[in-house]
Amino acid sequence: MNTTPAPATTLQGFSRSESVAMAWPMIMLAVFFVIPFGTMLTISFFERVPGGFFEPGFTLESYARFIDPFFFKSLGMTMMIAASASVICLALAVPFTWSLSRMRHHSRVFWLVALLSILSLSEVIIGFSWSLLLSRSTGIGNILVWLGIENRAPKLSPGLGAVLTGLCYLGFPYAVLVLFPQLSRLDPTLHEAARMLGASPRRAFMNVVLPNIAKALVAAFIMVFVFTLGAYLIPQLLGKPQQWTLPVLIADQALFQSNLPFAAAMSIFLLGVSLSLVVCVGWLGRTAPHDQDDAHDDARSEEA
Amino acid sequence: MSRLLNRLFLGAIGLFMASPIIILLGVSVNAEKRLAFPPQGFSLRWYLELWNDAAWVNAISNSLLIAALASLLATSMAAPLAYGLWRRRTVWLRIFHAFGVAPFVLPPVITALGLLSFWIAVGGYGSFYSVVISHGVFLITLPLVTISLGLEAVNKEDLEAAETLGADAGARLRTIILPQVIPYAISGAAFAFVLSLNEYIIAYMVAGFTVETLPIKIFNSLRYGYTPAMTAVAIVFALVTALVFGLIGYFGDLPRLLGAWKSKEDS
């Protein structure tokens, strides 16, 4: 809603100084966001010069390389790793976020600060610390030796398990923060009513809360999937070469194989996949039944 | 019973979240130059070494400077965009809003490769300022989201009242809008600052071989031989990050910033 009447002289109801101020982000985004994507798209059609870099032209050669079984194998591995990590993340994040949304302000802030700190921790630090935690010399396997269960600590990294652990650590705070608005805006009387009618806390959660957030869960799954799909350092630090995901291959082609056109083509492909998934989330959000304004209007008194 | 289960679950999650920090902390206080956990001996020499080693100091100052400039740049772009959208949701503003949010939602390697192609084409590849601009544009999402939240909280009736009493647009901006929005802008800038500090792939693709930021330096030292100094620097960084978010949590309303409707007063 627009309360200040627009001066007749300006376009679209903004004053001159407002328009100048808004031109700044628009120009910056156009130059440093839109044009780079255009450049990348253009380069993906350029011809590769073996031993050199690339030269202008138009060829679908880079896209034709997608038919290669090697590409399919790494694509399948990438999808499998991201999907498994997202499922594990959500399995942990849903009950956790449910508890979090029902905490008092101070403990809630404490957990949120911890989650944000971990979320913004560099992937290189996460990968490095988990490689220590899963290594033979400094790892958690030594607890087994100490307890006398094993003679020698197992070497858990690099491997698929290590990659999944690292990705779950990376994705967990993200999953919680995606779910947090949905769960904390959920009408608390729903759960209370179910409890009053005799349902156990778990049954009230499973039968009443969960169906209400089903769409939010699907949306959260897709968001976490796209997020873990983008991991670049963790597959390198915690995985073997066969667990290298698409982002690793893209960077490898661009920087070390000097094949920018192929890297750009793979990048456009990854863009297509993730963009269509994100559009699905937007579509889910529009049709979601939860009514934000209702939840807003009756901001409730504290519970539990 | 279920209360106990809940406690145990939260405890396990807490342990999972803390374990990487615990091991880094343990290794960083080793007395000898080897990676050992539990630590053998206790010494803070690796923390001191950070300050004496020119390469680490250089990486730290690069990272801090890039993060400071990039977060300022991101906030300066986000503020007018958020303000424009709050006033009128025109088609163009909505398109640019989508551009502002997109790089953050997509896998960062895509943006990184786009920027790499761009900087190679225009000749800024490998320069310090290319990293600053790239980070600034990439991280615009955070101040954009927080400032929009701050503007939503501004009471439009107050603005109407001020206008009736004769305050012009500038005066309304200064006296009503800015005081309410500035805390949100600071939170957004702080988010962008922390994420820039920890960002790897874009910095690496744009100038990885010439401008060494801290995450790049850590990764390079991982490849060419471990030293406990890496764990010390990781701990320092984790502390800075936690401190910034702790401050936002203390002075601001973190649950609302993260999308809970219920504000501080209600619970």
Side-chain angles (χ1 to χ4, degrees), chain A residues 1-4 12-13 18 21 24-26 28 99 105 116-117 120 122 128-129 138 169 184-185 255-256 263 274, chain B residues 6 16-17 20 23 76-77 80 83 87-88 96 107 113 156 160 172 194 198 204 222 241-242 245 259-261 264:
Chain A
M1 216 175 63
N2 181 25
T3 50
T4 37
Q12 294 186 321
E18 284 172 333
W24 163 242
M26 286 181 160
M28 289 296 281
S99 300
H105 183 75
L116 283 173
S117 307
S120 48
S122 181
F128 172 46
S129 56
T138 57
Y169 191 81
S184 59
R185 286 172 197 178
L255 296 170
F256 300 106
S274 20
Chain B
N6 190 32
F16 174 63
M17 280 165 62
I23 193 148
S76 81
M77 295 189 297
Y83 174 77
R87 285 275 314 279
R88 292 178 73 100
F96 276 91
L113 196 74
K156 293 204 172 178
E160 276 170 27
R172 292 198 297 271
V194 167
N198 288 291
Y204 181 61
L222 264 176
T241 305
F245 287 128
W261 280 123
K264 210 176 197 167

CSV table of all heavy atoms in Angstrom, one decimal, chain A residues 1-4 12-13 18 21 24-26 28 99 105 116-117 120 122 128-129 138 169 184-185 255-256 263 274, chain B residues 6 16-17 20 23 76-77 80 83 87-88 96 107 113 156 160 172 194 198 204 222 241-242 245 259-261 264:
chain,number,residue,atom,x,y,z
A,1,MET,N,0.8,-1.2,0.0
A,1,MET,CA,0.0,0.0,0.0
A,1,MET,C,0.9,1.2,0.0
A,1,MET,O,1.9,1.3,0.7
A,1,MET,CB,-0.9,0.0,1.2
A,1,MET,CG,-2.2,0.6,0.9
A,1,MET,SD,-3.3,0.4,2.4
A,1,MET,CE,-2.5,1.4,3.6
A,2,ASN,N,0.5,2.2,-0.7
A,2,ASN,CA,1.3,3.4,-0.9
A,2,ASN,C,0.6,4.6,-0.2
A,2,ASN,O,-0.5,5.0,-0.6
A,2,ASN,CB,1.5,3.7,-2.4
A,2,ASN,CG,2.4,4.9,-2.6
A,2,ASN,OD1,3.1,5.2,-1.7
A,2,ASN,ND2,2.2,5.5,-3.7
A,3,THR,N,1.2,5.1,0.9
A,3,THR,CA,0.5,6.1,1.6
A,3,THR,C,0.8,7.5,1.1
A,3,THR,O,0.0,8.4,1.2
A,3,THR,CB,0.8,6.0,3.1
A,3,THR,OG1,2.2,5.9,3.2
A,3,THR,CG2,0.1,4.8,3.7
A,4,THR,N,2.1,7.7,0.7
A,4,THR,CA,2.5,9.0,0.3
A,4,THR,C,2.2,9.2,-1.2
A,4,THR,O,2.6,8.5,-2.0
A,4,THR,CB,4.0,9.2,0.5
A,4,THR,OG1,4.7,8.0,0.2
A,4,THR,CG2,4.4,9.6,1.9
A,12,GLN,N,6.7,6.2,-12.0
A,12,GLN,CA,6.4,5.2,-11.1
A,12,GLN,C,6.3,5.7,-9.6
A,12,GLN,O,6.5,4.9,-8.7
A,12,GLN,CB,7.4,4.0,-11.1
A,12,GLN,CG,7.3,3.3,-12.5
A,12,GLN,CD,8.1,2.1,-12.5
A,12,GLN,OE1,9.2,2.1,-12.0
A,12,GLN,NE2,7.6,1.0,-13.1
A,13,GLY,N,6.1,7.0,-9.4
A,13,GLY,CA,5.8,7.4,-8.1
A,13,GLY,C,7.0,7.6,-7.1
A,13,GLY,O,6.8,7.7,-5.9
A,18,GLU,N,15.0,9.6,-4.7
A,18,GLU,CA,14.8,8.2,-4.5
A,18,GLU,C,15.2,7.4,-5.7
A,18,GLU,O,15.8,6.3,-5.6
A,18,GLU,CB,13.3,8.0,-4.2
A,18,GLU,CG,12.9,8.4,-2.8
A,18,GLU,CD,11.4,8.3,-2.6
A,18,GLU,OE1,10.6,8.5,-3.6
A,18,GLU,OE2,11.0,8.1,-1.4
A,21,ALA,N,18.9,7.0,-5.9
A,21,ALA,CA,19.4,6.0,-4.9
A,21,ALA,C,19.1,4.6,-5.4
A,21,ALA,O,19.9,3.7,-5.2
A,21,ALA,CB,18.7,6.3,-3.5
A,24,TRP,N,21.4,2.9,-8.1
A,24,TRP,CA,22.7,2.3,-7.6
A,24,TRP,C,22.7,0.8,-7.5
A,24,TRP,O,23.4,0.1,-8.2
A,24,TRP,CB,23.1,3.0,-6.3
A,24,TRP,CG,24.1,2.4,-5.4
A,24,TRP,CD1,23.9,1.9,-4.1
A,24,TRP,CD2,25.5,2.1,-5.7
A,24,TRP,NE1,25.1,1.4,-3.6
A,24,TRP,CE2,26.1,1.5,-4.5
A,24,TRP,CE3,26.3,2.3,-6.8
A,24,TRP,CZ2,27.4,1.1,-4.5
A,24,TRP,CZ3,27.7,1.9,-6.7
A,24,TRP,CH2,28.2,1.3,-5.6
A,25,PRO,N,21.7,0.2,-6.7
A,25,PRO,CA,21.7,-1.3,-6.6
A,25,PRO,C,21.4,-1.9,-8.0
A,25,PRO,O,21.9,-3.0,-8.3
A,25,PRO,CB,20.7,-1.6,-5.6
A,25,PRO,CG,19.8,-0.4,-5.4
A,25,PRO,CD,20.8,0.8,-5.7
A,26,MET,N,20.5,-1.2,-8.7
A,26,MET,CA,20.1,-1.8,-10.0
A,26,MET,C,21.2,-1.9,-11.0
A,26,MET,O,21.4,-2.9,-11.6
A,26,MET,CB,18.9,-1.0,-10.6
A,26,MET,CG,17.6,-1.2,-9.9
A,26,MET,SD,16.3,-0.3,-10.7
A,26,MET,CE,14.9,-1.1,-10.1
A,28,MET,N,24.5,-1.9,-10.2
A,28,MET,CA,25.4,-2.9,-9.7
A,28,MET,C,25.0,-4.3,-10.0
A,28,MET,O,25.8,-5.1,-10.4
A,28,MET,CB,25.6,-2.7,-8.2
A,28,MET,CG,26.4,-1.4,-7.8
A,28,MET,SD,28.1,-1.4,-8.3
A,28,MET,CE,28.9,-2.4,-7.1
A,99,SER,N,11.3,-28.4,19.2
A,99,SER,CA,11.7,-28.0,20.6
A,99,SER,C,12.1,-26.6,20.7
A,99,SER,O,11.7,-25.8,21.6
A,99,SER,CB,12.9,-28.8,21.1
A,99,SER,OG,12.6,-30.2,21.1
A,105,HIS,N,12.6,-17.3,25.4
A,105,HIS,CA,13.4,-16.4,24.6
A,105,HIS,C,14.9,-16.6,24.7
A,105,HIS,O,15.6,-16.7,23.8
A,105,HIS,CB,13.0,-14.9,24.9
A,105,HIS,CG,13.8,-14.0,24.0
A,105,HIS,ND1,13.4,-13.8,22.7
A,105,HIS,CD2,14.8,-13.2,24.2
A,105,HIS,CE1,14.2,-12.9,22.1
A,105,HIS,NE2,15.1,-12.5,23.0
A,116,LEU,N,23.7,-20.2,14.0
A,116,LEU,CA,24.2,-19.2,13.0
A,116,LEU,C,25.7,-19.3,13.0
A,116,LEU,O,26.3,-19.2,11.9
A,116,LEU,CB,23.8,-17.8,13.4
A,116,LEU,CG,22.3,-17.5,13.1
A,116,LEU,CD1,22.0,-16.1,13.6
A,116,LEU,CD2,22.2,-17.4,11.6
A,117,SER,N,26.4,-19.5,14.1
A,117,SER,CA,27.8,-19.5,14.1
A,117,SER,C,28.3,-20.7,13.3
A,117,SER,O,29.3,-20.6,12.5
A,117,SER,CB,28.4,-19.6,15.5
A,117,SER,OG,27.9,-18.6,16.3
A,120,SER,N,27.8,-20.2,9.5
A,120,SER,CA,28.7,-19.4,8.7
A,120,SER,C,30.1,-19.8,8.9
A,120,SER,O,31.0,-19.2,8.3
A,120,SER,CB,28.5,-17.9,9.2
A,120,SER,OG,28.5,-17.9,10.6
A,122,SER,N,33.4,-21.5,8.0
A,122,SER,CA,33.8,-21.8,6.6
A,122,SER,C,33.8,-23.3,6.4
A,122,SER,O,34.2,-24.1,7.3
A,122,SER,CB,35.2,-21.3,6.5
A,122,SER,OG,35.7,-21.6,5.2
A,128,PHE,N,38.0,-29.7,7.6
A,128,PHE,CA,39.2,-30.0,8.3
A,128,PHE,C,39.0,-30.6,9.7
A,128,PHE,O,39.5,-31.7,10.1
A,128,PHE,CB,40.0,-28.7,8.5
A,128,PHE,CG,41.2,-28.8,9.3
A,128,PHE,CD1,42.1,-29.9,9.2
A,128,PHE,CD2,41.5,-27.8,10.3
A,128,PHE,CE1,43.3,-29.9,10.0
A,128,PHE,CE2,42.6,-27.9,11.1
A,128,PHE,CZ,43.5,-28.9,10.9
A,129,SER,N,38.0,-30.1,10.5
A,129,SER,CA,37.8,-30.6,11.8
A,129,SER,C,37.2,-32.0,11.7
A,129,SER,O,37.5,-32.9,12.5
A,129,SER,CB,36.9,-29.7,12.6
A,129,SER,OG,35.7,-29.4,12.0
A,138,THR,N,43.6,-38.9,15.6
A,138,THR,CA,43.0,-38.0,16.5
A,138,THR,C,41.4,-38.2,16.6
A,138,THR,O,40.7,-37.5,17.2
A,138,THR,CB,43.2,-36.5,16.1
A,138,THR,OG1,42.7,-36.4,14.8
A,138,THR,CG2,44.7,-36.2,16.2
A,169,TYR,N,26.5,-31.9,8.9
A,169,TYR,CA,26.9,-30.8,9.8
A,169,TYR,C,26.7,-29.5,9.1
A,169,TYR,O,26.3,-28.5,9.8
A,169,TYR,CB,28.4,-31.0,10.2
A,169,TYR,CG,28.8,-30.1,11.3
A,169,TYR,CD1,28.6,-30.5,12.6
A,169,TYR,CD2,29.5,-28.9,11.0
A,169,TYR,CE1,28.9,-29.6,13.6
A,169,TYR,CE2,29.9,-28.1,12.1
A,169,TYR,CZ,29.6,-28.5,13.4
A,169,TYR,OH,30.0,-27.6,14.4
A,184,SER,N,7.5,-21.9,14.2
A,184,SER,CA,7.3,-21.0,15.3
A,184,SER,C,6.0,-20.2,15.0
A,184,SER,O,5.5,-19.5,15.9
A,184,SER,CB,8.5,-20.1,15.5
A,184,SER,OG,8.8,-19.4,14.4
A,185,ARG,N,5.5,-20.2,13.7
A,185,ARG,CA,4.3,-19.5,13.4
A,185,ARG,C,3.1,-20.4,13.5
A,185,ARG,O,2.0,-19.9,13.4
A,185,ARG,CB,4.4,-18.9,12.0
A,185,ARG,CG,5.3,-17.7,11.9
A,185,ARG,CD,5.4,-17.3,10.5
A,185,ARG,NE,6.6,-16.5,10.3
A,185,ARG,CZ,7.0,-16.0,9.2
A,185,ARG,NH1,6.3,-16.3,8.1
A,185,ARG,NH2,8.0,-15.2,9.1
A,255,LEU,N,39.6,-24.3,-13.4
A,255,LEU,CA,40.9,-23.8,-12.9
A,255,LEU,C,42.1,-24.7,-13.3
A,255,LEU,O,43.2,-24.2,-13.5
A,255,LEU,CB,40.9,-23.6,-11.4
A,255,LEU,CG,39.8,-22.6,-10.9
A,255,LEU,CD1,39.7,-22.7,-9.4
A,255,LEU,CD2,40.3,-21.2,-11.4
A,256,PHE,N,41.9,-26.0,-13.3
A,256,PHE,CA,43.0,-26.9,-13.5
A,256,PHE,C,43.1,-27.6,-14.8
A,256,PHE,O,44.2,-27.9,-15.3
A,256,PHE,CB,43.1,-27.9,-12.3
A,256,PHE,CG,43.2,-27.2,-11.0
A,256,PHE,CD1,42.1,-27.2,-10.1
A,256,PHE,CD2,44.4,-26.6,-10.6
A,256,PHE,CE1,42.2,-26.5,-8.9
A,256,PHE,CE2,44.5,-25.9,-9.4
A,256,PHE,CZ,43.4,-25.9,-8.6
A,263,ALA,N,33.2,-26.2,-18.2
A,263,ALA,CA,32.8,-25.8,-16.8
A,263,ALA,C,31.6,-24.9,-16.9
A,263,ALA,O,30.7,-25.1,-16.0
A,263,ALA,CB,34.0,-25.0,-16.2
A,274,SER,N,18.9,-26.4,-10.1
A,274,SER,CA,18.6,-25.8,-8.8
A,274,SER,C,17.5,-24.7,-9.0
A,274,SER,O,16.7,-24.6,-8.1
A,274,SER,CB,19.9,-25.3,-8.1
A,274,SER,OG,20.9,-25.0,-9.0
B,6,ASN,N,13.7,-35.5,25.5
B,6,ASN,CA,13.9,-34.2,24.9
B,6,ASN,C,15.3,-33.6,25.3
B,6,ASN,O,16.1,-33.2,24.4
B,6,ASN,CB,12.8,-33.2,25.2
B,6,ASN,CG,12.8,-32.0,24.4
B,6,ASN,OD1,13.3,-32.0,23.2
B,6,ASN,ND2,12.4,-30.9,24.9
B,16,PHE,N,27.0,-32.9,19.0
B,16,PHE,CA,27.3,-33.0,17.5
B,16,PHE,C,27.8,-31.6,17.0
B,16,PHE,O,28.8,-31.5,16.3
B,16,PHE,CB,26.0,-33.4,16.8
B,16,PHE,CG,26.1,-33.4,15.3
B,16,PHE,CD1,27.0,-34.3,14.6
B,16,PHE,CD2,25.3,-32.7,14.5
B,16,PHE,CE1,27.1,-34.3,13.2
B,16,PHE,CE2,25.3,-32.7,13.1
B,16,PHE,CZ,26.3,-33.5,12.5
B,17,MET,N,27.1,-30.6,17.4
B,17,MET,CA,27.4,-29.2,16.9
B,17,MET,C,28.8,-28.8,17.5
B,17,MET,O,29.5,-28.1,16.8
B,17,MET,CB,26.3,-28.2,17.3
B,17,MET,CG,25.1,-28.3,16.4
B,17,MET,SD,23.7,-27.4,17.1
B,17,MET,CE,24.3,-25.8,17.2
B,20,PRO,N,33.3,-30.6,16.5
B,20,PRO,CA,34.4,-30.0,15.7
B,20,PRO,C,35.2,-28.9,16.4
B,20,PRO,O,36.4,-28.8,16.3
B,20,PRO,CB,33.8,-29.5,14.4
B,20,PRO,CG,32.5,-30.2,14.4
B,20,PRO,CD,32.1,-30.5,15.8
B,23,ILE,N,37.5,-30.5,19.1
B,23,ILE,CA,38.7,-31.1,18.7
B,23,ILE,C,39.7,-30.0,18.2
B,23,ILE,O,40.9,-30.1,18.4
B,23,ILE,CB,38.5,-32.2,17.6
B,23,ILE,CG1,39.8,-33.0,17.4
B,23,ILE,CG2,38.0,-31.6,16.3
B,23,ILE,CD1,39.6,-34.4,17.0
B,76,SER,N,24.9,-0.8,1.3
B,76,SER,CA,24.5,0.4,0.6
B,76,SER,C,23.7,0.1,-0.6
B,76,SER,O,22.9,0.9,-1.1
B,76,SER,CB,25.8,1.1,0.1
B,76,SER,OG,26.3,0.5,-1.0
B,77,MET,N,23.8,-1.1,-1.2
B,77,MET,CA,22.9,-1.5,-2.3
B,77,MET,C,21.6,-2.0,-1.8
B,77,MET,O,20.5,-1.7,-2.4
B,77,MET,CB,23.6,-2.6,-3.2
B,77,MET,CG,24.9,-2.1,-3.8
B,77,MET,SD,25.4,-3.4,-5.0
B,77,MET,CE,25.8,-4.7,-4.0
B,80,PRO,N,18.5,1.0,-0.5
B,80,PRO,CA,17.6,1.7,-1.4
B,80,PRO,C,16.6,0.7,-2.1
B,80,PRO,O,15.4,1.0,-2.3
B,80,PRO,CB,18.4,2.3,-2.5
B,80,PRO,CG,19.8,2.1,-2.2
B,80,PRO,CD,19.9,1.3,-0.9
B,83,TYR,N,14.0,-0.2,0.4
B,83,TYR,CA,13.1,0.9,0.6
B,83,TYR,C,12.2,1.1,-0.6
B,83,TYR,O,10.9,1.3,-0.4
B,83,TYR,CB,14.0,2.2,0.8
B,83,TYR,CG,13.2,3.5,0.8
B,83,TYR,CD1,12.5,3.8,2.0
B,83,TYR,CD2,13.1,4.3,-0.3
B,83,TYR,CE1,11.8,5.0,2.1
B,83,TYR,CE2,12.4,5.5,-0.2
B,83,TYR,CZ,11.7,5.8,1.0
B,83,TYR,OH,11.0,7.0,1.0
B,87,ARG,N,8.0,0.9,-0.5
B,87,ARG,CA,7.1,1.9,-1.0
B,87,ARG,C,6.2,1.4,-2.1
B,87,ARG,O,5.0,1.6,-2.0
B,87,ARG,CB,8.0,3.1,-1.5
B,87,ARG,CG,8.6,3.9,-0.4
B,87,ARG,CD,7.6,5.0,0.1
B,87,ARG,NE,6.9,5.6,-1.0
B,87,ARG,CZ,7.5,6.6,-1.7
B,87,ARG,NH1,8.6,7.1,-1.4
B,87,ARG,NH2,6.8,7.2,-2.7
B,88,ARG,N,6.8,0.8,-3.1
B,88,ARG,CA,5.9,0.3,-4.2
B,88,ARG,C,6.5,-0.9,-4.8
B,88,ARG,O,7.7,-1.0,-5.0
B,88,ARG,CB,6.0,1.4,-5.3
B,88,ARG,CG,5.3,2.6,-5.0
B,88,ARG,CD,5.4,3.6,-6.2
B,88,ARG,NE,4.6,3.1,-7.3
B,88,ARG,CZ,3.4,3.6,-7.6
B,88,ARG,NH1,2.9,4.6,-6.9
B,88,ARG,NH2,2.7,3.1,-8.6
B,96,PHE,N,14.6,-7.1,-9.7
B,96,PHE,CA,16.0,-6.9,-9.1
B,96,PHE,C,16.0,-7.5,-7.7
B,96,PHE,O,17.1,-7.9,-7.3
B,96,PHE,CB,16.3,-5.4,-9.1
B,96,PHE,CG,16.9,-5.0,-10.4
B,96,PHE,CD1,16.2,-4.5,-11.4
B,96,PHE,CD2,18.3,-5.1,-10.6
B,96,PHE,CE1,16.7,-4.2,-12.7
B,96,PHE,CE2,18.9,-4.8,-11.9
B,96,PHE,CZ,18.1,-4.3,-12.9
B,107,PRO,N,23.6,-22.8,-5.8
B,107,PRO,CA,24.9,-23.3,-5.4
B,107,PRO,C,25.9,-22.2,-5.7
B,107,PRO,O,26.0,-21.7,-6.9
B,107,PRO,CB,25.1,-24.5,-6.2
B,107,PRO,CG,23.7,-25.0,-6.5
B,107,PRO,CD,22.9,-23.8,-6.6
B,113,LEU,N,31.6,-19.1,-10.9
B,113,LEU,CA,32.1,-19.3,-12.2
B,113,LEU,C,31.7,-18.2,-13.1
B,113,LEU,O,32.4,-17.7,-14.0
B,113,LEU,CB,31.6,-20.7,-12.8
B,113,LEU,CG,32.3,-21.1,-14.1
B,113,LEU,CD1,33.7,-21.6,-13.7
B,113,LEU,CD2,31.6,-22.1,-14.8
B,156,LYS,N,2.9,2.9,9.3
B,156,LYS,CA,2.6,3.8,8.3
B,156,LYS,C,1.7,5.0,8.7
B,156,LYS,O,1.7,6.0,8.2
B,156,LYS,CB,2.0,3.1,7.1
B,156,LYS,CG,3.0,2.1,6.4
B,156,LYS,CD,2.7,1.8,5.0
B,156,LYS,CE,3.9,1.1,4.4
B,156,LYS,NZ,3.7,0.7,3.0
B,160,GLU,N,1.9,9.1,8.0
B,160,GLU,CA,0.8,9.9,7.6
B,160,GLU,C,0.7,11.1,8.6
B,160,GLU,O,0.5,12.3,8.1
B,160,GLU,CB,-0.5,9.1,7.6
B,160,GLU,CG,-0.7,8.4,6.3
B,160,GLU,CD,-1.8,7.4,6.4
B,160,GLU,OE1,-2.8,7.7,7.1
B,160,GLU,OE2,-1.8,6.4,5.7
B,172,ARG,N,10.8,12.9,7.2
B,172,ARG,CA,10.1,11.6,7.6
B,172,ARG,C,11.1,10.5,7.6
B,172,ARG,O,11.1,9.6,8.5
B,172,ARG,CB,9.0,11.3,6.6
B,172,ARG,CG,7.8,12.3,6.7
B,172,ARG,CD,6.6,11.6,6.1
B,172,ARG,NE,6.7,11.3,4.7
B,172,ARG,CZ,6.4,12.2,3.7
B,172,ARG,NH1,6.0,13.4,4.0
B,172,ARG,NH2,6.5,11.9,2.4
B,194,VAL,N,30.3,-11.6,8.4
B,194,VAL,CA,30.7,-12.9,8.9
B,194,VAL,C,30.8,-13.9,7.7
B,194,VAL,O,31.7,-14.7,7.6
B,194,VAL,CB,29.8,-13.4,10.0
B,194,VAL,CG1,30.0,-14.9,10.2
B,194,VAL,CG2,30.0,-12.6,11.2
B,198,ASN,N,34.1,-16.0,5.9
B,198,ASN,CA,34.2,-17.5,5.8
B,198,ASN,C,34.0,-18.0,4.4
B,198,ASN,O,34.1,-19.2,4.2
B,198,ASN,CB,33.2,-18.1,6.7
B,198,ASN,CG,33.6,-18.0,8.2
B,198,ASN,OD1,34.5,-18.6,8.6
B,198,ASN,ND2,32.9,-17.1,8.9
B,204,TYR,N,38.1,-17.7,-4.1
B,204,TYR,CA,39.1,-18.6,-4.8
B,204,TYR,C,39.1,-18.5,-6.3
B,204,TYR,O,40.1,-18.4,-7.0
B,204,TYR,CB,38.9,-20.0,-4.3
B,204,TYR,CG,39.8,-21.0,-4.9
B,204,TYR,CD1,41.2,-20.9,-4.6
B,204,TYR,CD2,39.4,-22.1,-5.7
B,204,TYR,CE1,42.1,-21.9,-5.1
B,204,TYR,CE2,40.3,-23.0,-6.1
B,204,TYR,CZ,41.6,-22.9,-5.8
B,204,TYR,OH,42.5,-23.8,-6.3
B,222,LEU,N,46.3,-27.0,4.3
B,222,LEU,CA,45.9,-28.4,4.5
B,222,LEU,C,46.5,-29.3,3.4
B,222,LEU,O,46.9,-30.4,3.7
B,222,LEU,CB,44.4,-28.5,4.2
B,222,LEU,CG,43.5,-28.4,5.4
B,222,LEU,CD1,42.0,-28.4,5.0
B,222,LEU,CD2,43.7,-29.6,6.3
B,241,THR,N,33.1,-15.1,14.8
B,241,THR,CA,31.8,-15.4,14.3
B,241,THR,C,30.7,-15.4,15.4
B,241,THR,O,29.7,-14.8,15.4
B,241,THR,CB,31.8,-16.7,13.5
B,241,THR,OG1,32.8,-16.7,12.5
B,241,THR,CG2,30.5,-17.0,12.9
B,242,ALA,N,31.0,-16.3,16.4
B,242,ALA,CA,30.1,-16.4,17.5
B,242,ALA,C,29.9,-15.1,18.3
B,242,ALA,O,28.8,-14.7,18.7
B,242,ALA,CB,30.6,-17.5,18.5
B,245,PHE,N,27.4,-12.8,16.2
B,245,PHE,CA,26.1,-13.3,16.3
B,245,PHE,C,25.6,-13.1,17.7
B,245,PHE,O,24.4,-12.8,18.0
B,245,PHE,CB,25.9,-14.7,15.9
B,245,PHE,CG,26.0,-14.9,14.4
B,245,PHE,CD1,26.9,-15.8,13.8
B,245,PHE,CD2,25.3,-14.1,13.6
B,245,PHE,CE1,27.0,-15.9,12.5
B,245,PHE,CE2,25.4,-14.2,12.2
B,245,PHE,CZ,26.2,-15.1,11.6
B,259,GLY,N,12.6,-14.9,11.4
B,259,GLY,CA,11.3,-15.2,10.8
B,259,GLY,C,10.3,-15.7,11.8
B,259,GLY,O,9.2,-16.1,11.3
B,260,ALA,N,10.5,-15.6,13.1
B,260,ALA,CA,9.4,-16.0,14.0
B,260,ALA,C,8.5,-14.7,14.2
B,260,ALA,O,9.1,-13.6,14.3
B,260,ALA,CB,10.0,-16.4,15.4
B,261,TRP,N,7.2,-14.9,14.2
B,261,TRP,CA,6.4,-13.7,14.3
B,261,TRP,C,6.5,-13.2,15.7
B,261,TRP,O,6.4,-12.0,16.0
B,261,TRP,CB,4.9,-14.0,14.0
B,261,TRP,CG,4.7,-14.0,12.5
B,261,TRP,CD1,4.2,-15.1,11.8
B,261,TRP,CD2,4.9,-13.0,11.6
B,261,TRP,NE1,4.1,-14.7,10.5
B,261,TRP,CE2,4.5,-13.5,10.3
B,261,TRP,CE3,5.4,-11.7,11.6
B,261,TRP,CZ2,4.6,-12.7,9.1
B,261,TRP,CZ3,5.5,-10.9,10.5
B,261,TRP,CH2,5.1,-11.4,9.3
B,264,LYS,N,10.3,-10.5,21.0
B,264,LYS,CA,10.9,-10.6,22.3
B,264,LYS,C,9.9,-10.5,23.4
B,264,LYS,O,9.9,-11.3,24.3
B,264,LYS,CB,11.9,-9.5,22.4
B,264,LYS,CG,13.1,-9.8,23.2
B,264,LYS,CD,14.0,-8.6,23.1
B,264,LYS,CE,15.4,-8.8,23.5
B,264,LYS,NZ,16.3,-7.7,23.1
